[in-house]
C-alpha cells in the first residue's frame, strides 16, 4: 500500500474501507494515541495490536486535541508528520487523525472488532470501553509494561529526567 493510501483523513472514506474489509471477513483492530516521539514502547504496542487482527487502524490525536489535554508546547511533532511516521510501519495498515478529546465517535463510525489500549489500562478502565461494548466489540490491552514514554524522552533530552528506570 502506498503512503497516500494508508493515511486517510476523511473518516467517511475510512469507514467505507473498514466496512469492505469486514465484509471480506477481515478482523479490524483500532488503536489511538498521540505518538509524539515514536519510541520502542509505541512499536511494541502497535505490533501487539496488529497481532489481534488482520488490519490495524491507528487514530492519531490532532495537534489541537493534544494541546487540549496535554497543554501548550505539545505535541512536539505536527500531526501530519506523526501520521507519516506511523504509516511507514509495516504493522500499520491505515492511519487517520481525529480532533475530538476522545476517539469514541470514530469508534462508533468504524466499529472495529477490537479496540487496543496500552498497559496503563485494564479492560475496565479503558475510557472508550462503554462505547466499544455498546456494539459488541472487544477490548485488548497491548504492549509491554509502560516503561517508556514521550514525557520521559523529553525530560531526558532536556537533562531533567528522573533517576534511570
Amino acid at each position: 500500500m502506498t503512503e497516500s493510501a494508508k493515511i486517510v483523513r476523511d473518516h467517511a472514506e475510512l469507514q467505507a474501507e473498514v466496512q469492505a474489509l469486514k465484509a471480506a471477513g477481515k478482523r479490524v483492530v483500532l488503536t489511538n494515541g498521540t505518538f509524539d516521539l515514536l519510541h520502542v514502547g509505541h512499536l511494541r504496542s502497535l505490533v501487539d495490536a496488529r497481532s489481534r487482527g488482520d488490519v490495524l487502524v491507528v487514530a492519531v490525536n490532532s495537534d489541537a486535541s493534544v494541546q487540549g489535554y496535554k497543554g501548550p508546547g505539545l505535541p512536539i511533532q505536527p500531526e501530519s508528520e506523526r501520521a507519516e511516521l506511523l504509516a511507514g510501519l509495516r504493522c500499520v495498515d491505515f492511519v487517520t487523525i481525529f480532533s475530538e478529546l476522545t476517539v469514541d465517535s470514530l469508534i462508533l463510525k468504524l466499529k472495529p472488532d477490537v479496540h487496543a489500549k496500552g498497559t496503563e489500562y485494564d479492560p475496565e478502565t479503558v475510557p472508550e470501553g462503554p462505547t466499544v461494548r455498546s456494539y459488541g466489540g472487544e477490548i485488548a490491552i497491548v504492549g509491554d509494561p509502560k516503561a517508556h514514554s514521550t514525557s520521559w524522552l523529553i525530560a531526558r533530552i532536556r537533562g531533567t529526567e528522573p533517576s534511570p528506570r
Side-chain angles (χ1 to χ4, degrees):
M1 207 178 292
T2 64
E3 175 195 318
S4 61
K6 288 181 93 168
I7 299 173
V8 183
R9 287 184 170 267
D10 183 315
H11 291 173
E13 179 184 335
L14 182 59
Q15 180 182 31
E17 294 260 9
V18 166
Q19 285 175 343
L21 289 162
K22 289 177 77 172
K26 301 292 184 187
R27 186 170 162 88
V28 176
V29 180
L30 174 91
T31 193
N32 68 286
T34 303
F35 302 100
D36 196 3
L37 294 179
L38 204 56
H39 54 71
V40 72
H42 289 135
L43 181 62
R44 291 173 182 165
S45 178
L46 292 165
V47 168
D48 191 357
R50 178 62 169 76
S51 77
R52 309 304 176 106
D54 303 305
V55 177
L56 177 60
V57 178
V58 180
V60 178
N61 290 82
S62 70
D63 293 344
S65 72
V66 173
Q67 291 163 4
Y69 75 89
K70 290 195 175 190
L74 293 174
I76 291 175
Q77 298 186 89
E79 63 193 43
S80 61
E81 291 179 13
R82 292 182 282 128
E84 185 177 343
L85 282 167
L86 289 163
L89 298 176
R90 185 177 7 201
C91 60
V92 176
D93 297 293
F94 295 96
V95 178
T96 195
I97 296 169
F98 70 101
S99 297
E100 300 79 16
L101 290 179
T102 71
V103 75
D104 288 292
S105 64
L106 184 61
I107 288 172
L108 283 174
K109 186 174 284 252
L110 301 181
K111 293 187 171 70
D113 299 292
V114 180
H115 180 53
K117 292 296 268 190
T119 56
E120 66 270 32
Y121 297 98
D122 64 52
E124 287 70 45
T125 62
V126 169
E128 304 86 2
T131 301
V132 174
R133 287 189 284 277
S134 76
Y135 64 86
E138 298 173 29
I139 295 170
I141 304 302
V142 298
D144 58 3
K146 187 136 174 114
H148 312 90
S149 74
T150 298
S151 300
W152 184 83
L153 283 174
I154 292 168
R156 185 170 183 202
I157 291 165
R158 290 180 175 153
T160 60
E161 85 273 10
S163 54
R165 336 178 227 154

